[in-house]
Amino acid sequence: MNINMRAIRPVRLGSLAAVAETRPDGSMVIRSSEALGPYPRSIVDALAGWAEKTPDAMLIADREGSWWRSLSYADVLERIRPIGQALLDAGLGPDRPLMILSGNEIEHFLLGMAAIWVGVPYAPVSPAYSLVSTDFNKLRHIAGLLTPGMVYASDGARFAPAIEAVFDPDTPLVVRTNPLASRASVLFDDLLKTAVTDAVQQAHDAITGDTVAKVLFTSGSTGLPKGVITTNAMMACNQQMIRQALAFLADEPPVLLDWMPWNHVAGGSHNV
């Protein structure tokens, strides 16, 4: 194998040393020998911090045909407050979470961050349950478990058969494009026009590390999908663990090429 050594540069790694404890029952616990550093209450607190430090730095970009759309940290922070207000206005909360049917895109990201900001759990669901399935059994099962207070689909026309088959017409529906003719739909861009009240700040102040941020579902390859609860602290702690193990991430702003579906969960891991 030919490797251009000039393209390889040293990077700083954290301590990867571990200690193992064997318990009387024969089980073994392996943990890092380095104490975990401090981490914020929620990843949205980190988002707010970077929006203050580097407001104009690009946070997210996605491909739109032959061109790119992008938002800075300040752009995202500006948008999630009115979206959060719209979620609260619709009565969303722990018993009426947000359910996202479509895949990775800026609108999906904004909805997720806004939900976390105001303490509303959200669940990104595999698009295949809506677009590939013909009986919609897995989607119907998940909807029954979640009792969503709002559903989002990027393209209303593509997701219309699943929406019509699974969701009550009274369930608020948000789409980016192609509203359904058969039921009331709100365009995503209209959420951005929601007037922000003190309720957003109050809801944001009330979230804790134990507040449920999202629910991810297993693939259902061995049965119906199972929900995996993810709290704010779990997500923030996970990021701190990565930062300590891959210390170079603290030395320079990382640029991530994101290919994994945001609904993915496997082996107890989760995307953040």
Coordinates of all heavy atoms in Angstrom, one line a residue, residues 80-164:
I80 N -33.9 28.7 16.6 CA -34.5 27.7 17.5 C -35.5 28.3 18.5 O -36.4 27.6 19.0 CB -33.4 26.8 18.2 CG1 -32.6 27.6 19.1 CG2 -32.6 26.1 17.2 CD1 -31.6 26.7 19.9
R81 N -35.3 29.5 18.9 CA -36.3 30.1 19.8 C -37.7 30.2 19.3 O -38.6 29.8 20.0 CB -35.7 31.5 20.3 CG -34.5 31.4 21.2 CD -34.1 32.7 21.8 NE -33.0 32.6 22.7 CZ -31.7 32.9 22.5 NH1 -31.4 33.4 21.3 NH2 -30.8 32.8 23.4
P82 N -37.9 30.8 18.1 CA -39.3 30.8 17.6 C -39.8 29.4 17.3 O -41.0 29.2 17.5 CB -39.2 31.6 16.3 CG -37.8 31.7 15.9 CD -37.0 31.6 17.2
I83 N -39.0 28.5 16.9 CA -39.5 27.1 16.7 C -39.8 26.5 18.0 O -40.9 25.8 18.1 CB -38.4 26.3 16.0 CG1 -38.0 26.8 14.6 CG2 -38.8 24.8 15.9 CD1 -36.9 26.1 13.9
G84 N -39.0 26.8 19.0 CA -39.4 26.3 20.4 C -40.7 26.8 20.9 O -41.5 26.1 21.5
Q85 N -41.0 28.1 20.6 CA -42.2 28.7 21.0 C -43.4 28.0 20.2 O -44.4 27.7 20.8 CB -42.2 30.2 20.6 CG -43.5 30.9 21.0 CD -43.7 31.1 22.5 OE1 -42.8 31.7 23.1 NE2 -44.8 30.6 23.0
A86 N -43.2 27.7 19.0 CA -44.2 27.0 18.2 C -44.5 25.6 18.8 O -45.7 25.2 18.8 CB -43.8 26.9 16.7
L87 N -43.5 24.9 19.2 CA -43.7 23.6 19.9 C -44.5 23.8 21.2 O -45.4 23.0 21.4 CB -42.3 23.0 20.2 CG -41.4 22.7 18.9 CD1 -40.1 22.0 19.4 CD2 -42.1 21.9 17.9
L88 N -44.1 24.8 22.0 CA -44.9 25.0 23.2 C -46.3 25.4 22.9 O -47.3 24.9 23.6 CB -44.2 26.1 24.0 CG -42.8 25.7 24.5 CD1 -42.2 27.0 25.3 CD2 -42.8 24.5 25.5
D89 N -46.5 26.2 21.9 CA -47.9 26.7 21.5 C -48.7 25.5 21.1 O -50.0 25.5 21.3 CB -47.8 27.7 20.4 CG -47.3 29.0 20.8 OD1 -47.1 29.3 22.0 OD2 -46.9 29.9 19.9
A90 N -48.1 24.5 20.6 CA -48.9 23.3 20.1 C -49.1 22.3 21.3 O -49.7 21.2 21.0 CB -48.1 22.6 19.0
G91 N -48.6 22.6 22.4 CA -48.8 21.8 23.6 C -47.9 20.6 23.7 O -48.2 19.6 24.4
L92 N -46.8 20.7 23.1 CA -45.8 19.5 23.1 C -45.1 19.5 24.5 O -44.9 20.5 25.2 CB -44.8 19.6 22.0 CG -45.2 19.0 20.7 CD1 -46.4 19.7 20.1 CD2 -44.0 18.9 19.7
G93 N -44.7 18.3 24.9 CA -44.1 18.1 26.2 C -43.7 16.6 26.3 O -43.8 15.8 25.3
P94 N -43.4 16.2 27.5 CA -42.9 14.8 27.7 C -44.0 13.7 27.2 O -43.6 12.7 26.8 CB -42.7 14.7 29.2 CG -42.4 16.1 29.6 CD -43.2 17.0 28.7
D95 N -45.2 14.0 27.4 CA -46.3 13.1 26.9 C -46.7 13.3 25.5 O -47.5 12.5 25.0 CB -47.5 13.2 27.9 CG -47.2 12.8 29.3 OD1 -46.3 11.9 29.5 OD2 -47.7 13.4 30.2
R96 N -46.3 14.4 24.9 CA -46.7 14.7 23.5 C -45.4 15.2 22.8 O -45.2 16.3 22.5 CB -47.8 15.7 23.4 CG -49.1 15.3 24.1 CD -50.2 16.4 24.0 NE -50.7 16.4 22.6 CZ -50.7 17.4 21.8 NH1 -50.1 18.5 22.1 NH2 -51.2 17.3 20.6
P97 N -44.5 14.2 22.5 CA -43.2 14.6 21.9 C -43.3 15.0 20.4 O -44.4 14.8 19.8 CB -42.3 13.4 22.1 CG -43.3 12.3 22.1 CD -44.6 12.8 22.7
L98 N -42.2 15.4 19.8 CA -42.1 15.7 18.4 C -41.6 14.5 17.7 O -40.7 13.8 18.1 CB -41.2 16.9 18.2 CG -40.7 17.1 16.7 CD1 -41.9 17.6 15.9 CD2 -39.6 18.1 16.7
M99 N -42.3 14.1 16.6 CA -41.9 12.9 15.8 C -41.4 13.4 14.4 O -42.2 14.1 13.7 CB -43.0 11.9 15.7 CG -42.7 10.6 15.2 SD -44.1 9.5 15.5 CE -43.6 8.1 14.5
I100 N -40.2 13.0 14.0 CA -39.7 13.4 12.7 C -39.6 12.2 11.8 O -38.9 11.2 12.1 CB -38.3 14.1 12.9 CG1 -38.4 15.4 13.8 CG2 -37.6 14.4 11.6 CD1 -37.1 16.1 14.1
L101 N -40.3 12.3 10.7 CA -40.3 11.1 9.8 C -39.2 11.1 8.7 O -38.9 10.1 8.2 CB -41.7 11.1 9.1 CG -42.9 11.1 9.9 CD1 -44.2 10.9 9.1 CD2 -42.9 10.0 11.0
S102 N -38.7 12.3 8.4 CA -37.8 12.4 7.3 C -36.3 12.4 7.7 O -36.1 12.5 8.9 CB -38.1 13.6 6.4 OG -38.3 14.7 7.2
G103 N -35.4 12.4 6.8 CA -34.0 12.2 7.1 C -33.2 13.5 7.5 O -33.8 14.5 7.8
N104 N -31.9 13.4 7.4 CA -31.0 14.4 7.7 C -31.2 15.7 6.8 O -31.1 15.6 5.6 CB -29.6 14.0 7.7 CG -29.3 12.7 8.5 OD1 -30.2 12.1 9.0 ND2 -28.0 12.4 8.6
E105 N -31.4 16.8 7.5 CA -31.4 18.1 6.8 C -31.4 19.2 7.8 O -31.6 19.0 9.0 CB -32.6 18.2 5.9 CG -33.9 18.2 6.7 CD -35.2 18.5 5.8 OE1 -35.0 18.6 4.5 OE2 -36.3 18.5 6.3
I106 N -31.2 20.4 7.4 CA -31.1 21.6 8.3 C -32.4 21.7 9.1 O -32.3 21.9 10.3 CB -30.8 22.9 7.5 CG1 -29.3 22.9 7.1 CG2 -31.1 24.1 8.3 CD1 -28.9 24.1 6.3
E107 N -33.5 21.5 8.5 CA -34.8 21.7 9.2 C -34.9 20.7 10.3 O -35.4 21.0 11.4 CB -36.0 21.6 8.2 CG -36.1 22.8 7.3 CD -35.1 22.9 6.2 OE1 -34.4 21.8 5.9 OE2 -34.9 24.0 5.6
H108 N -34.5 19.4 10.0 CA -34.5 18.4 11.0 C -33.7 18.8 12.2 O -34.1 18.7 13.4 CB -34.0 17.1 10.4 CG -34.0 15.9 11.2 ND1 -34.2 14.6 10.8 CD2 -33.7 15.7 12.6 CE1 -34.1 13.8 11.8 NE2 -33.8 14.4 12.9
F109 N -32.5 19.3 11.9 CA -31.6 19.7 13.0 C -32.2 20.8 13.8 O -32.1 20.8 15.0 CB -30.3 20.2 12.3 CG -29.2 20.7 13.3 CD1 -28.5 19.8 14.1 CD2 -29.0 22.1 13.4 CE1 -27.5 20.3 15.0 CE2 -28.1 22.6 14.3 CZ -27.4 21.7 15.1
L110 N -32.7 21.8 13.1 CA -33.3 23.0 13.9 C -34.5 22.5 14.8 O -34.6 23.0 15.9 CB -33.8 24.0 12.9 CG -32.7 24.8 12.2 CD1 -33.3 25.7 11.1 CD2 -31.9 25.7 13.1
L111 N -35.3 21.6 14.3 CA -36.4 21.2 15.1 C -35.9 20.4 16.3 O -36.4 20.6 17.4 CB -37.3 20.2 14.2 CG -38.3 20.9 13.3 CD1 -38.8 20.0 12.2 CD2 -39.5 21.5 14.1
G112 N -34.9 19.6 16.1 CA -34.3 18.8 17.2 C -33.7 19.7 18.3 O -34.0 19.5 19.5
M113 N -32.9 20.7 17.8 CA -32.3 21.6 18.8 C -33.3 22.5 19.5 O -33.2 22.7 20.7 CB -31.3 22.5 18.1 CG -30.1 21.8 17.5 SD -29.1 20.9 18.8 CE -29.7 19.2 18.6
A114 N -34.4 22.9 18.8 CA -35.4 23.7 19.4 C -36.2 22.9 20.4 O -36.5 23.4 21.5 CB -36.4 24.2 18.3
A115 N -36.5 21.6 20.1 CA -37.2 20.7 21.0 C -36.3 20.6 22.3 O -36.9 20.7 23.4 CB -37.4 19.4 20.4
I116 N -35.1 20.3 22.2 CA -34.2 20.1 23.4 C -34.2 21.5 24.2 O -34.2 21.5 25.4 CB -32.8 19.7 23.0 CG1 -32.8 18.3 22.3 CG2 -31.8 19.7 24.2 CD1 -31.5 17.9 21.8
W117 N -34.1 22.6 23.5 CA -34.0 23.9 24.1 C -35.2 24.1 25.1 O -35.0 24.7 26.1 CB -34.0 25.0 23.0 CG -33.7 26.4 23.5 CD1 -34.6 27.3 24.0 CD2 -32.4 27.0 23.7 NE1 -34.0 28.4 24.4 CE2 -32.7 28.3 24.2 CE3 -31.1 26.6 23.4 CZ2 -31.6 29.2 24.5 CZ3 -30.1 27.5 23.7 CH2 -30.4 28.8 24.2
V118 N -36.4 23.7 24.7 CA -37.5 23.9 25.5 C -38.0 22.7 26.3 O -39.1 22.7 26.8 CB -38.7 24.5 24.7 CG1 -38.3 25.9 24.2 CG2 -39.1 23.6 23.6
G119 N -37.2 21.6 26.3 CA -37.5 20.5 27.1 C -38.6 19.5 26.5 O -39.2 18.8 27.2
V120 N -38.7 19.6 25.2 CA -39.6 18.7 24.5 C -38.9 17.5 23.9 O -38.0 17.7 23.1 CB -40.4 19.4 23.4 CG1 -41.2 18.4 22.5 CG2 -41.3 20.5 23.9
P121 N -39.1 16.3 24.3 CA -38.5 15.1 23.7 C -38.8 15.0 22.2 O -39.9 15.4 21.8 CB -39.0 13.9 24.4 CG -39.6 14.5 25.7 CD -40.1 15.8 25.3
Y122 N -37.9 14.6 21.4 CA -38.2 14.3 20.0 C -37.7 13.0 19.6 O -36.7 12.5 20.2 CB -37.7 15.5 19.1 CG -36.2 15.4 18.7 CD1 -35.8 14.9 17.5 CD2 -35.3 15.9 19.6 CE1 -34.4 14.9 17.2 CE2 -33.9 15.9 19.3 CZ -33.5 15.4 18.1 OH -32.2 15.4 17.7
A123 N -38.3 12.4 18.5 CA -37.9 11.1 18.0 C -37.7 11.1 16.5 O -38.7 11.3 15.8 CB -39.0 10.1 18.4
P124 N -36.4 11.0 16.1 CA -36.2 10.9 14.6 C -36.4 9.4 14.2 O -35.8 8.5 14.8 CB -34.7 11.3 14.5 CG -34.1 11.0 15.8 CD -35.2 11.1 16.8
V125 N -37.3 9.2 13.3 CA -37.7 7.8 12.9 C -37.2 7.5 11.5 O -37.1 8.4 10.7 CB -39.3 7.7 12.9 CG1 -39.7 6.3 12.5 CG2 -39.8 8.0 14.4
S126 N -36.8 6.2 11.3 CA -36.3 5.8 10.0 C -37.3 6.2 8.9 O -38.4 5.8 9.0 CB -36.0 4.3 10.1 OG -35.7 3.9 8.7
P127 N -36.8 6.9 7.9 CA -37.7 7.2 6.8 C -38.2 6.0 6.1 O -39.3 6.0 5.5 CB -36.8 8.1 5.8 CG -35.8 8.7 6.7 CD -35.5 7.6 7.8
A128 N -37.5 4.9 6.2 CA -37.9 3.6 5.5 C -39.3 3.2 6.0 O -40.1 2.5 5.3 CB -36.9 2.5 5.7
Y129 N -39.6 3.5 7.3 CA -40.9 3.0 7.9 C -42.0 3.7 7.2 O -43.2 3.3 7.2 CB -40.9 3.3 9.4 CG -39.9 2.6 10.2 CD1 -39.6 2.9 11.5 CD2 -39.2 1.5 9.7 CE1 -38.7 2.3 12.3 CE2 -38.3 0.8 10.4 CZ -38.0 1.2 11.7 OH -37.1 0.5 12.5
S130 N -41.7 4.9 6.6 CA -42.8 5.6 5.8 C -42.7 5.4 4.3 O -43.7 5.4 3.7 CB -42.7 7.1 6.1 OG -42.9 7.4 7.5
L131 N -41.5 5.3 3.8 CA -41.3 5.3 2.3 C -41.1 4.0 1.7 O -41.3 3.8 0.5 CB -40.1 6.2 2.0 CG -40.2 7.7 2.5 CD1 -38.9 8.4 2.1 CD2 -41.4 8.4 1.9
V132 N -40.7 3.0 2.5 CA -40.4 1.6 1.9 C -41.5 0.7 2.4 O -42.0 -0.1 1.6 CB -39.1 1.1 2.4 CG1 -38.8 -0.3 1.9 CG2 -37.9 2.0 1.9
S133 N -41.9 0.7 3.6 CA -43.0 -0.1 4.1 C -44.3 0.1 3.4 O -44.6 1.2 3.0 CB -43.2 0.1 5.6 OG -44.3 -0.6 6.1
T134 N -45.0 -1.0 3.2 CA -46.4 -0.8 2.6 C -47.5 -1.0 3.6 O -48.6 -0.6 3.4 CB -46.5 -1.9 1.5 OG1 -46.3 -3.2 2.0 CG2 -45.6 -1.6 0.4
D135 N -47.2 -1.6 4.8 CA -48.2 -1.8 5.8 C -48.1 -0.8 7.0 O -49.0 -0.6 7.8 CB -48.2 -3.2 6.4 CG -46.9 -3.7 7.0 OD1 -46.1 -2.8 7.3 OD2 -46.7 -4.9 7.1
F136 N -46.9 -0.1 7.0 CA -46.6 0.9 8.0 C -46.7 0.4 9.5 O -47.0 1.2 10.4 CB -47.5 2.1 7.8 CG -47.5 2.7 6.5 CD1 -48.7 2.7 5.7 CD2 -46.4 3.2 5.9 CE1 -48.7 3.2 4.4 CE2 -46.4 3.7 4.6 CZ -47.6 3.7 3.8
N137 N -46.5 -0.9 9.7 CA -46.7 -1.5 11.0 C -45.7 -0.9 12.0 O -46.1 -0.6 13.1 CB -46.5 -3.0 10.9 CG -47.8 -3.7 10.5 OD1 -48.8 -3.1 10.5 ND2 -47.7 -5.0 10.1
K138 N -44.4 -0.8 11.6 CA -43.4 -0.2 12.5 C -43.7 1.2 12.9 O -43.6 1.6 14.0 CB -42.0 -0.4 12.0 CG -41.6 -1.9 11.9 CD -40.1 -2.0 11.4 CE -39.7 -3.5 11.4 NZ -38.3 -3.7 10.9
L139 N -44.1 2.0 11.9 CA -44.4 3.4 12.1 C -45.6 3.5 13.0 O -45.6 4.3 13.9 CB -44.7 4.1 10.8 CG -45.0 5.6 10.8 CD1 -43.7 6.3 11.3 CD2 -45.4 6.1 9.5
R140 N -46.6 2.7 12.8 CA -47.8 2.7 13.6 C -47.5 2.3 15.0 O -48.0 2.9 16.0 CB -48.9 1.7 13.0 CG -50.2 1.8 13.7 CD -51.2 1.0 13.0 NE -51.6 1.5 11.7 CZ -51.2 1.1 10.5 NH1 -50.4 0.0 10.5 NH2 -51.6 1.6 9.4
H141 N -46.6 1.3 15.2 CA -46.2 0.9 16.5 C -45.5 2.0 17.3 O -45.8 2.3 18.5 CB -45.2 -0.3 16.4 CG -44.5 -0.7 17.7 ND1 -45.2 -1.3 18.8 CD2 -43.2 -0.5 18.0 CE1 -44.3 -1.5 19.7 NE2 -43.1 -1.0 19.3
I142 N -44.6 2.7 16.6 CA -43.8 3.8 17.2 C -44.8 5.0 17.6 O -44.7 5.5 18.7 CB -42.7 4.3 16.3 CG1 -41.6 3.2 16.2 CG2 -42.1 5.6 16.8 CD1 -40.6 3.5 15.1
A143 N -45.7 5.3 16.7 CA -46.6 6.4 17.0 C -47.5 6.0 18.2 O -47.8 6.9 19.0 CB -47.5 6.6 15.7
G144 N -47.8 4.8 18.3 CA -48.6 4.3 19.5 C -47.9 4.5 20.8 O -48.4 4.8 21.8
L145 N -46.6 4.2 20.7 CA -45.7 4.4 21.9 C -45.5 5.8 22.3 O -45.5 6.2 23.5 CB -44.4 3.7 21.7 CG -44.4 2.1 21.6 CD1 -42.9 1.7 21.3 CD2 -44.9 1.5 22.9
L146 N -45.3 6.7 21.3 CA -44.9 8.0 21.5 C -46.1 9.0 21.8 O -46.0 10.0 22.5 CB -44.1 8.6 20.4 CG -42.7 8.1 20.1 CD1 -42.2 8.6 18.8 CD2 -41.8 8.4 21.3
T147 N -47.3 8.7 21.2 CA -48.4 9.6 21.2 C -47.9 11.0 20.8 O -48.0 12.0 21.6 CB -49.2 9.6 22.5 OG1 -48.3 10.1 23.6 CG2 -49.7 8.3 22.9
P148 N -47.4 11.2 19.6 CA -46.8 12.5 19.2 C -47.7 13.7 19.3 O -48.9 13.5 18.9 CB -46.2 12.2 17.8 CG -47.1 11.2 17.3 CD -47.4 10.3 18.5
G149 N -47.2 14.8 19.7 CA -48.0 16.0 19.6 C -47.8 16.8 18.3 O -48.6 17.8 18.1
M150 N -46.8 16.4 17.5 CA -46.6 17.1 16.2 C -45.7 16.1 15.4 O -44.9 15.3 15.9 CB -45.8 18.4 16.4 CG -45.5 19.1 15.1 SD -44.6 20.7 15.4 CE -46.0 21.7 16.1
V151 N -46.0 16.1 14.1 CA -45.2 15.3 13.2 C -44.6 16.2 12.1 O -45.2 17.1 11.6 CB -46.1 14.2 12.5 CG1 -45.4 13.5 11.4 CG2 -46.7 13.2 13.6
Y152 N -43.3 15.9 11.8 CA -42.6 16.6 10.7 C -42.2 15.7 9.6 O -41.6 14.6 9.9 CB -41.4 17.4 11.2 CG -40.6 18.0 10.1 CD1 -41.0 19.2 9.5 CD2 -39.4 17.4 9.7 CE1 -40.3 19.7 8.4 CE2 -38.7 17.9 8.6 CZ -39.1 19.1 8.0 OH -38.4 19.6 7.0
A153 N -42.5 16.1 8.4 CA -42.0 15.4 7.2 C -41.5 16.4 6.2 O -42.2 17.4 5.9 CB -43.1 14.5 6.6
S154 N -40.3 16.3 5.7 CA -39.7 17.3 4.8 C -40.6 17.5 3.6 O -41.0 18.7 3.3 CB -38.3 16.9 4.4 OG -37.8 17.9 3.5
D155 N -41.0 16.4 2.9 CA -41.8 16.5 1.7 C -43.1 15.9 2.0 O -43.3 14.7 2.1 CB -41.1 15.8 0.5 CG -41.8 15.9 -0.8 OD1 -43.0 16.1 -0.8 OD2 -41.1 15.9 -1.8
G156 N -44.2 16.7 2.1 CA -45.5 16.2 2.4 C -46.0 15.2 1.4 O -46.6 14.2 1.8
A157 N -45.7 15.4 0.1 CA -46.3 14.5 -0.9 C -45.6 13.1 -0.8 O -46.3 12.1 -0.9 CB -46.0 15.1 -2.3
R158 N -44.3 13.0 -0.5 CA -43.7 11.7 -0.4 C -44.2 10.9 0.8 O -44.3 9.7 0.7 CB -42.2 11.9 -0.3 CG -41.5 12.4 -1.6 CD -40.0 12.3 -1.4 NE -39.5 10.9 -1.4 CZ -38.4 10.6 -0.7 NH1 -37.7 11.5 0.0 NH2 -38.0 9.3 -0.7
F159 N -44.4 11.6 1.9 CA -44.8 11.0 3.1 C -46.3 10.9 3.3 O -46.8 10.3 4.3 CB -44.2 11.7 4.3 CG -42.7 11.4 4.4 CD1 -41.8 12.2 3.7 CD2 -42.2 10.5 5.3 CE1 -40.4 12.0 3.8 CE2 -40.8 10.2 5.4 CZ -39.9 11.0 4.7
A160 N -47.1 11.4 2.3 CA -48.5 11.4 2.5 C -49.2 10.0 2.8 O -50.0 9.9 3.7 CB -49.2 12.1 1.2
P161 N -48.8 9.0 2.0 CA -49.5 7.7 2.3 C -49.3 7.2 3.8 O -50.2 6.7 4.4 CB -48.8 6.7 1.3 CG -48.4 7.6 0.2 CD -47.9 8.9 0.8
A162 N -48.0 7.4 4.3 CA -47.8 7.0 5.7 C -48.5 7.9 6.7 O -49.1 7.4 7.6 CB -46.3 7.0 5.9
I163 N -48.5 9.1 6.4 CA -49.2 10.1 7.3 C -50.7 9.8 7.3 O -51.3 9.7 8.4 CB -48.9 11.5 6.9 CG1 -47.5 11.9 7.1 CG2 -49.8 12.5 7.6 CD1 -47.0 13.2 6.5
E164 N -51.3 9.6 6.2 CA -52.7 9.3 6.1 C -53.1 8.0 6.8 O -54.1 7.9 7.4 CB -53.2 9.2 4.6 CG -53.0 10.5 3.9 CD -54.1 11.6 4.3 OE1 -54.8 11.4 5.2 OE2 -54.2 12.6 3.6

